[in-house]
mmCIF file of all heavy atoms in Angstrom:
data_model
loop_
_atom_site.group_PDB
_atom_site.id
_atom_site.type_symbol
_atom_site.label_atom_id
_atom_site.label_comp_id
_atom_site.label_asym_id
_atom_site.label_seq_id
_atom_site.Cartn_x
_atom_site.Cartn_y
_atom_site.Cartn_z
ATOM 1 N N ALA W 17 -41.866 -124.639 -135.860
ATOM 2 C CA ALA W 17 -42.069 -125.810 -134.942
ATOM 3 C C ALA W 17 -41.644 -125.422 -133.485
ATOM 4 O O ALA W 17 -42.334 -125.700 -132.566
ATOM 5 C CB ALA W 17 -41.371 -127.044 -135.498
ATOM 6 N N ILE W 18 -40.418 -124.793 -133.349
ATOM 7 C CA ILE W 18 -39.954 -124.414 -132.010
ATOM 8 C C ILE W 18 -40.850 -123.415 -131.457
ATOM 9 O O ILE W 18 -41.131 -123.407 -130.168
ATOM 10 C CB ILE W 18 -38.545 -124.105 -132.025
ATOM 11 C CG1 ILE W 18 -37.893 -124.216 -130.560
ATOM 12 C CG2 ILE W 18 -38.252 -122.681 -132.613
ATOM 13 C CD1 ILE W 18 -37.932 -125.570 -129.980
ATOM 14 N N GLU W 19 -41.422 -122.535 -132.227
ATOM 15 C CA GLU W 19 -42.295 -121.539 -131.763
ATOM 16 C C GLU W 19 -43.615 -122.201 -131.340
ATOM 17 O O GLU W 19 -44.141 -121.815 -130.292
ATOM 18 C CB GLU W 19 -42.618 -120.442 -132.788
ATOM 19 C CG GLU W 19 -41.441 -119.450 -132.969
ATOM 20 C CD GLU W 19 -41.139 -118.726 -131.716
ATOM 21 O OE1 GLU W 19 -42.042 -118.332 -130.958
ATOM 22 O OE2 GLU W 19 -39.937 -118.583 -131.475
ATOM 23 N N THR W 20 -44.093 -123.183 -131.923
ATOM 24 C CA THR W 20 -45.370 -123.856 -131.595
ATOM 25 C C THR W 20 -45.097 -124.560 -130.204
ATOM 26 O O THR W 20 -45.971 -124.464 -129.337
ATOM 27 C CB THR W 20 -45.677 -124.955 -132.613
ATOM 28 O OG1 THR W 20 -45.928 -124.299 -133.962
ATOM 29 C CG2 THR W 20 -46.916 -125.849 -132.306
ATOM 30 N N LEU W 21 -43.996 -125.262 -130.048
ATOM 31 C CA LEU W 21 -43.659 -125.878 -128.789
ATOM 32 C C LEU W 21 -43.514 -124.818 -127.676
ATOM 33 O O LEU W 21 -44.053 -125.016 -126.553
ATOM 34 C CB LEU W 21 -42.467 -126.686 -128.899
ATOM 35 C CG LEU W 21 -42.532 -128.096 -129.587
ATOM 36 C CD1 LEU W 21 -41.107 -128.717 -129.832
ATOM 37 C CD2 LEU W 21 -43.431 -128.942 -128.860
ATOM 38 N N ARG W 22 -42.764 -123.762 -127.938
ATOM 39 C CA ARG W 22 -42.489 -122.704 -126.943
ATOM 40 C C ARG W 22 -43.867 -122.083 -126.453
ATOM 41 O O ARG W 22 -44.023 -121.831 -125.340
ATOM 42 C CB ARG W 22 -41.647 -121.617 -127.635
ATOM 43 C CG ARG W 22 -41.216 -120.557 -126.734
ATOM 44 C CD ARG W 22 -40.381 -119.608 -127.545
ATOM 45 N NE ARG W 22 -40.312 -118.319 -126.904
ATOM 46 C CZ ARG W 22 -41.287 -117.387 -126.908
ATOM 47 N NH1 ARG W 22 -42.261 -117.677 -127.644
ATOM 48 N NH2 ARG W 22 -41.090 -116.355 -126.248
ATOM 49 N N THR W 23 -44.720 -121.820 -127.378
ATOM 50 C CA THR W 23 -46.026 -121.170 -127.077
ATOM 51 C C THR W 23 -46.846 -122.095 -126.135
ATOM 52 O O THR W 23 -47.380 -121.656 -125.133
ATOM 53 C CB THR W 23 -46.821 -120.916 -128.319
ATOM 54 O OG1 THR W 23 -46.045 -119.924 -129.104
ATOM 55 C CG2 THR W 23 -48.071 -120.270 -128.064
ATOM 56 N N ALA W 24 -46.821 -123.381 -126.511
ATOM 57 C CA ALA W 24 -47.607 -124.359 -125.595
ATOM 58 C C ALA W 24 -46.966 -124.385 -124.259
ATOM 59 O O ALA W 24 -47.659 -124.473 -123.266
ATOM 60 C CB ALA W 24 -47.561 -125.706 -126.334
ATOM 61 N N LEU W 25 -45.684 -124.442 -124.130
ATOM 62 C CA LEU W 25 -44.981 -124.568 -122.794
ATOM 63 C C LEU W 25 -45.286 -123.312 -121.972
ATOM 64 O O LEU W 25 -45.614 -123.483 -120.792
ATOM 65 C CB LEU W 25 -43.439 -124.771 -123.063
ATOM 66 C CG LEU W 25 -43.005 -126.108 -123.645
ATOM 67 C CD1 LEU W 25 -41.608 -126.010 -124.171
ATOM 68 C CD2 LEU W 25 -43.326 -127.235 -122.702
ATOM 69 N N LEU W 26 -45.202 -122.134 -122.593
ATOM 70 C CA LEU W 26 -45.491 -120.920 -121.756
ATOM 71 C C LEU W 26 -46.980 -120.838 -121.326
ATOM 72 O O LEU W 26 -47.271 -120.449 -120.276
ATOM 73 C CB LEU W 26 -45.171 -119.707 -122.713
ATOM 74 C CG LEU W 26 -43.740 -119.450 -122.922
ATOM 75 C CD1 LEU W 26 -43.531 -118.385 -124.067
ATOM 76 C CD2 LEU W 26 -43.027 -119.106 -121.627
ATOM 77 N N GLU W 27 -47.853 -121.240 -122.264
ATOM 78 C CA GLU W 27 -49.278 -121.380 -122.003
ATOM 79 C C GLU W 27 -49.541 -122.249 -120.789
ATOM 80 O O GLU W 27 -50.534 -122.018 -119.970
ATOM 81 C CB GLU W 27 -50.108 -121.844 -123.277
ATOM 82 C CG GLU W 27 -51.555 -121.766 -123.063
ATOM 83 C CD GLU W 27 -52.232 -122.297 -124.372
ATOM 84 O OE1 GLU W 27 -51.793 -121.893 -125.413
ATOM 85 O OE2 GLU W 27 -53.110 -123.167 -124.203
ATOM 86 N N LEU W 28 -48.795 -123.342 -120.560
ATOM 87 C CA LEU W 28 -49.046 -124.234 -119.534
ATOM 88 C C LEU W 28 -48.286 -123.869 -118.221
ATOM 89 O O LEU W 28 -48.269 -124.718 -117.248
ATOM 90 C CB LEU W 28 -48.732 -125.598 -119.928
ATOM 91 C CG LEU W 28 -49.594 -126.163 -121.141
ATOM 92 C CD1 LEU W 28 -49.072 -127.483 -121.704
ATOM 93 C CD2 LEU W 28 -51.032 -126.345 -120.638
ATOM 94 N N GLY W 29 -47.634 -122.706 -118.130
ATOM 95 C CA GLY W 29 -47.003 -122.271 -117.053
ATOM 96 C C GLY W 29 -45.433 -122.395 -116.890
ATOM 97 O O GLY W 29 -44.868 -122.005 -115.875
ATOM 98 N N ALA W 30 -44.904 -123.002 -117.974
ATOM 99 C CA ALA W 30 -43.359 -123.064 -117.785
ATOM 100 C C ALA W 30 -42.695 -121.769 -118.066
ATOM 101 O O ALA W 30 -43.296 -120.844 -118.716
ATOM 102 C CB ALA W 30 -42.943 -124.152 -118.940
ATOM 103 N N GLU W 31 -41.486 -121.617 -117.602
ATOM 104 C CA GLU W 31 -40.788 -120.378 -117.695
ATOM 105 C C GLU W 31 -39.618 -120.568 -118.695
ATOM 106 O O GLU W 31 -38.776 -121.579 -118.542
ATOM 107 C CB GLU W 31 -40.258 -120.003 -116.315
ATOM 108 C CG GLU W 31 -39.383 -118.765 -116.375
ATOM 109 C CD GLU W 31 -38.701 -118.456 -115.039
ATOM 110 O OE1 GLU W 31 -39.126 -119.031 -114.029
ATOM 111 O OE2 GLU W 31 -37.810 -117.507 -114.998
ATOM 112 N N GLN W 32 -39.438 -119.590 -119.596
ATOM 113 C CA GLN W 32 -38.276 -119.968 -120.595
ATOM 114 C C GLN W 32 -37.063 -119.225 -120.043
ATOM 115 O O GLN W 32 -37.044 -118.187 -119.426
ATOM 116 C CB GLN W 32 -38.536 -119.212 -121.933
ATOM 117 C CG GLN W 32 -37.537 -119.439 -122.891
ATOM 118 C CD GLN W 32 -37.875 -119.038 -124.377
ATOM 119 O OE1 GLN W 32 -39.029 -118.624 -124.694
ATOM 120 N NE2 GLN W 32 -36.969 -119.220 -125.248
ATOM 121 N N ILE W 33 -35.913 -120.062 -120.254
ATOM 122 C CA ILE W 33 -34.590 -119.559 -119.915
ATOM 123 C C ILE W 33 -33.842 -119.050 -121.140
ATOM 124 O O ILE W 33 -33.844 -119.881 -122.193
ATOM 125 C CB ILE W 33 -33.727 -120.710 -119.346
ATOM 126 C CG1 ILE W 33 -34.387 -121.425 -118.118
ATOM 127 C CG2 ILE W 33 -32.281 -120.178 -118.961
ATOM 128 C CD1 ILE W 33 -33.800 -122.770 -117.857
ATOM 129 N N GLY W 34 -33.394 -117.844 -121.117
ATOM 130 C CA GLY W 34 -32.682 -117.346 -122.393
ATOM 131 C C GLY W 34 -33.506 -117.057 -123.410
ATOM 132 O O GLY W 34 -34.782 -117.040 -123.462
ATOM 133 N N THR W 35 -32.962 -116.876 -124.559
ATOM 134 C CA THR W 35 -33.639 -116.545 -125.854
ATOM 135 C C THR W 35 -33.797 -117.902 -126.748
ATOM 136 O O THR W 35 -32.894 -118.737 -126.567
ATOM 137 C CB THR W 35 -32.878 -115.545 -126.686
ATOM 138 O OG1 THR W 35 -31.534 -115.917 -127.009
ATOM 139 C CG2 THR W 35 -32.769 -114.229 -125.959
ATOM 140 N N THR W 36 -34.709 -117.873 -127.552
ATOM 141 C CA THR W 36 -34.922 -118.982 -128.504
ATOM 142 C C THR W 36 -33.878 -118.916 -129.573
ATOM 143 O O THR W 36 -33.706 -117.881 -130.251
ATOM 144 C CB THR W 36 -36.331 -119.018 -129.122
ATOM 145 O OG1 THR W 36 -37.239 -118.966 -128.042
ATOM 146 C CG2 THR W 36 -36.417 -120.168 -129.959
ATOM 147 N N ALA W 37 -33.067 -119.923 -129.689
ATOM 148 C CA ALA W 37 -32.102 -120.035 -130.825
ATOM 149 C C ALA W 37 -32.801 -120.529 -132.065
ATOM 150 O O ALA W 37 -33.570 -121.424 -132.025
ATOM 151 C CB ALA W 37 -30.954 -121.034 -130.449
ATOM 152 N N LYS W 38 -32.468 -119.997 -133.241
ATOM 153 C CA LYS W 38 -33.055 -120.374 -134.373
ATOM 154 C C LYS W 38 -31.957 -120.439 -135.402
ATOM 155 O O LYS W 38 -31.478 -119.420 -136.040
ATOM 156 C CB LYS W 38 -34.151 -119.235 -134.863
ATOM 157 C CG LYS W 38 -35.272 -119.121 -133.861
ATOM 158 C CD LYS W 38 -36.290 -118.216 -134.334
ATOM 159 C CE LYS W 38 -37.503 -118.150 -133.467
ATOM 160 N NZ LYS W 38 -38.485 -117.201 -133.931
ATOM 161 N N HIS W 39 -31.652 -121.824 -135.801
ATOM 162 C CA HIS W 39 -30.664 -122.025 -136.793
ATOM 163 C C HIS W 39 -31.328 -121.883 -138.137
ATOM 164 O O HIS W 39 -32.415 -122.332 -138.309
ATOM 165 C CB HIS W 39 -29.972 -123.379 -136.630
ATOM 166 C CG HIS W 39 -28.962 -123.589 -137.641
ATOM 167 N ND1 HIS W 39 -29.268 -124.358 -138.830
ATOM 168 C CD2 HIS W 39 -27.750 -123.223 -137.794
ATOM 169 C CE1 HIS W 39 -28.226 -124.341 -139.597
ATOM 170 N NE2 HIS W 39 -27.175 -123.699 -139.000
ATOM 171 N N ASP W 40 -30.596 -121.329 -139.098
ATOM 172 C CA ASP W 40 -30.989 -121.158 -140.472
ATOM 173 C C ASP W 40 -30.205 -122.135 -141.259
ATOM 174 O O ASP W 40 -28.980 -121.831 -141.482
ATOM 175 C CB ASP W 40 -30.906 -119.733 -140.983
ATOM 176 C CG ASP W 40 -31.490 -119.471 -142.396
ATOM 177 O OD1 ASP W 40 -31.925 -120.369 -142.938
ATOM 178 O OD2 ASP W 40 -31.450 -118.305 -142.647
ATOM 179 N N ALA W 41 -30.932 -123.075 -141.909
ATOM 180 C CA ALA W 41 -30.190 -123.973 -142.897
ATOM 181 C C ALA W 41 -29.493 -123.239 -144.015
ATOM 182 O O ALA W 41 -28.518 -123.773 -144.665
ATOM 183 C CB ALA W 41 -31.080 -125.038 -143.409
ATOM 184 N N ALA W 42 -30.014 -122.074 -144.468
ATOM 185 C CA ALA W 42 -29.462 -121.299 -145.505
ATOM 186 C C ALA W 42 -28.205 -120.589 -145.103
ATOM 187 O O ALA W 42 -27.550 -119.969 -145.933
ATOM 188 C CB ALA W 42 -30.503 -120.352 -145.989
ATOM 189 N N SER W 43 -27.898 -120.536 -143.779
ATOM 190 C CA SER W 43 -26.709 -119.901 -143.400
ATOM 191 C C SER W 43 -25.410 -120.714 -143.455
ATOM 192 O O SER W 43 -25.527 -121.950 -143.746
ATOM 193 C CB SER W 43 -26.807 -119.401 -141.969
ATOM 194 O OG SER W 43 -26.647 -120.561 -141.039
ATOM 195 N N ALA W 44 -24.254 -120.141 -143.439
ATOM 196 C CA ALA W 44 -23.015 -120.844 -143.535
ATOM 197 C C ALA W 44 -22.660 -121.394 -142.205
ATOM 198 O O ALA W 44 -21.666 -122.300 -142.129
ATOM 199 C CB ALA W 44 -21.919 -119.874 -144.025
ATOM 200 N N THR W 45 -23.341 -121.158 -141.070
ATOM 201 C CA THR W 45 -22.930 -121.620 -139.830
ATOM 202 C C THR W 45 -23.562 -123.019 -139.652
ATOM 203 O O THR W 45 -24.792 -123.122 -139.675
ATOM 204 C CB THR W 45 -23.409 -120.682 -138.697
ATOM 205 O OG1 THR W 45 -22.966 -119.364 -138.840
ATOM 206 C CG2 THR W 45 -23.063 -121.127 -137.297
ATOM 207 N N PRO W 46 -22.830 -124.052 -139.235
ATOM 208 C CA PRO W 46 -23.369 -125.272 -138.922
ATOM 209 C C PRO W 46 -24.236 -125.275 -137.674
ATOM 210 O O PRO W 46 -23.953 -124.453 -136.733
ATOM 211 C CB PRO W 46 -22.215 -126.183 -138.609
ATOM 212 C CG PRO W 46 -21.008 -125.425 -139.243
ATOM 213 C CD PRO W 46 -21.328 -124.002 -139.204
ATOM 214 N N ALA W 47 -25.343 -126.018 -137.698
ATOM 215 C CA ALA W 47 -26.276 -125.981 -136.538
ATOM 216 C C ALA W 47 -25.626 -126.396 -135.249
ATOM 217 O O ALA W 47 -25.902 -125.797 -134.153
ATOM 218 C CB ALA W 47 -27.396 -126.930 -136.925
ATOM 219 N N THR W 48 -24.614 -127.312 -135.278
ATOM 220 C CA THR W 48 -23.903 -127.720 -134.074
ATOM 221 C C THR W 48 -22.989 -126.634 -133.519
ATOM 222 O O THR W 48 -22.955 -126.532 -132.346
ATOM 223 C CB THR W 48 -23.090 -129.061 -134.317
ATOM 224 O OG1 THR W 48 -22.287 -128.891 -135.509
ATOM 225 C CG2 THR W 48 -24.108 -130.256 -134.638
ATOM 226 N N GLU W 49 -22.453 -125.790 -134.352
ATOM 227 C CA GLU W 49 -21.653 -124.675 -133.886
ATOM 228 C C GLU W 49 -22.524 -123.711 -133.198
ATOM 229 O O GLU W 49 -22.174 -123.194 -132.123
ATOM 230 C CB GLU W 49 -20.975 -124.046 -135.123
ATOM 231 C CG GLU W 49 -19.940 -122.948 -134.797
ATOM 232 C CD GLU W 49 -19.217 -122.434 -136.084
ATOM 233 O OE1 GLU W 49 -18.801 -123.256 -136.814
ATOM 234 O OE2 GLU W 49 -19.234 -121.182 -136.096
ATOM 235 N N LEU W 50 -23.648 -123.378 -133.798
ATOM 236 C CA LEU W 50 -24.581 -122.327 -133.186
ATOM 237 C C LEU W 50 -25.157 -122.932 -131.759
ATOM 238 O O LEU W 50 -25.138 -122.267 -130.792
ATOM 239 C CB LEU W 50 -25.759 -122.140 -133.984
ATOM 240 C CG LEU W 50 -26.819 -121.114 -133.389
ATOM 241 C CD1 LEU W 50 -26.225 -119.860 -133.167
ATOM 242 C CD2 LEU W 50 -28.028 -121.063 -134.420
ATOM 243 N N ALA W 51 -25.344 -124.250 -131.778
ATOM 244 C CA ALA W 51 -25.860 -124.924 -130.616
ATOM 245 C C ALA W 51 -24.857 -124.872 -129.412
ATOM 246 O O ALA W 51 -25.173 -124.673 -128.293
ATOM 247 C CB ALA W 51 -26.254 -126.346 -130.871
ATOM 248 N N ASP W 52 -23.613 -125.137 -129.818
ATOM 249 C CA ASP W 52 -22.476 -125.074 -128.828
ATOM 250 C C ASP W 52 -22.405 -123.759 -128.204
ATOM 251 O O ASP W 52 -22.349 -123.606 -126.949
ATOM 252 C CB ASP W 52 -21.178 -125.528 -129.458
ATOM 253 C CG ASP W 52 -20.006 -125.618 -128.436
ATOM 254 O OD1 ASP W 52 -20.089 -126.591 -127.737
ATOM 255 O OD2 ASP W 52 -19.167 -124.705 -128.499
ATOM 256 N N ALA W 53 -22.418 -122.728 -129.022
ATOM 257 C CA ALA W 53 -22.244 -121.299 -128.423
ATOM 258 C C ALA W 53 -23.493 -120.934 -127.569
ATOM 259 O O ALA W 53 -23.384 -120.323 -126.535
ATOM 260 C CB ALA W 53 -22.030 -120.312 -129.624
ATOM 261 N N TRP W 54 -24.680 -121.298 -128.172
ATOM 262 C CA TRP W 54 -25.918 -121.025 -127.424
ATOM 263 C C TRP W 54 -26.005 -121.691 -126.053
ATOM 264 O O TRP W 54 -26.371 -121.160 -125.093
ATOM 265 C CB TRP W 54 -27.098 -121.415 -128.303
ATOM 266 C CG TRP W 54 -28.491 -121.300 -127.700
ATOM 267 C CD1 TRP W 54 -29.209 -120.085 -127.570
ATOM 268 C CD2 TRP W 54 -29.259 -122.346 -127.159
ATOM 269 N NE1 TRP W 54 -30.308 -120.378 -127.050
ATOM 270 C CE2 TRP W 54 -30.429 -121.740 -126.813
ATOM 271 C CE3 TRP W 54 -29.082 -123.701 -127.044
ATOM 272 C CZ2 TRP W 54 -31.503 -122.391 -126.171
ATOM 273 C CZ3 TRP W 54 -30.066 -124.471 -126.433
ATOM 274 C CH2 TRP W 54 -31.233 -123.841 -126.086
ATOM 275 N N ALA W 55 -25.599 -122.946 -126.020
ATOM 276 C CA ALA W 55 -25.618 -123.760 -124.826
ATOM 277 C C ALA W 55 -24.681 -123.206 -123.791
ATOM 278 O O ALA W 55 -24.957 -123.001 -122.555
ATOM 279 C CB ALA W 55 -25.302 -125.190 -125.054
ATOM 280 N N ARG W 56 -23.461 -122.723 -124.244
ATOM 281 C CA ARG W 56 -22.447 -122.080 -123.304
ATOM 282 C C ARG W 56 -23.097 -120.820 -122.719
ATOM 283 O O ARG W 56 -22.853 -120.514 -121.527
ATOM 284 C CB ARG W 56 -21.145 -121.824 -123.985
ATOM 285 C CG ARG W 56 -20.471 -123.116 -124.324
ATOM 286 C CD ARG W 56 -19.111 -123.007 -124.961
ATOM 287 N NE ARG W 56 -18.619 -124.304 -125.368
ATOM 288 C CZ ARG W 56 -18.195 -125.229 -124.616
ATOM 289 N NH1 ARG W 56 -18.328 -125.081 -123.270
ATOM 290 N NH2 ARG W 56 -17.801 -126.396 -125.143
ATOM 291 N N ASP W 57 -23.762 -120.060 -123.519
ATOM 292 C CA ASP W 57 -24.451 -118.861 -122.990
ATOM 293 C C ASP W 57 -25.497 -119.171 -121.967
ATOM 294 O O ASP W 57 -25.668 -118.538 -120.953
ATOM 295 C CB ASP W 57 -25.156 -117.961 -124.109
ATOM 296 C CG ASP W 57 -24.058 -117.235 -124.936
ATOM 297 O OD1 ASP W 57 -22.955 -117.214 -124.505
ATOM 298 O OD2 ASP W 57 -24.527 -116.767 -126.063
ATOM 299 N N LEU W 58 -26.251 -120.351 -122.205
ATOM 300 C CA LEU W 58 -27.250 -120.703 -121.154
ATOM 301 C C LEU W 58 -26.786 -121.133 -119.880
ATOM 302 O O LEU W 58 -27.380 -120.981 -118.855
ATOM 303 C CB LEU W 58 -28.041 -121.944 -121.826
ATOM 304 C CG LEU W 58 -29.144 -121.691 -122.731
ATOM 305 C CD1 LEU W 58 -29.831 -123.011 -123.113
ATOM 306 C CD2 LEU W 58 -30.201 -120.798 -122.183
#
């Protein structure tokens, strides 16, 4: 889903900042923890 949105935004001329974060529900890392670290990097 995020790739679908990302592709559409790029196609329409938007510029991406940073890398796409992809949380895996099968991982032990909570999504909010990954989001916090990713946002701080941004």
Side-chain angles (χ1 to χ4, degrees):
I18 198 63
E19 285 302 320
T20 299
L21 285 171
R22 183 181 161 280
T23 299
L25 295 166
L26 291 169
E27 183 180 316
L28 296 171
E31 175 189 350
Q32 185 167 357
I33 305 166
T35 60
T36 303
K38 295 182 178 179
H39 181 262
D40 184 358
S43 76
T45 305
T48 54
E49 185 177 313
L50 178 63
D52 185 73
W54 176 80
R56 290 185 190 288
D57 286 344
L58 275 181

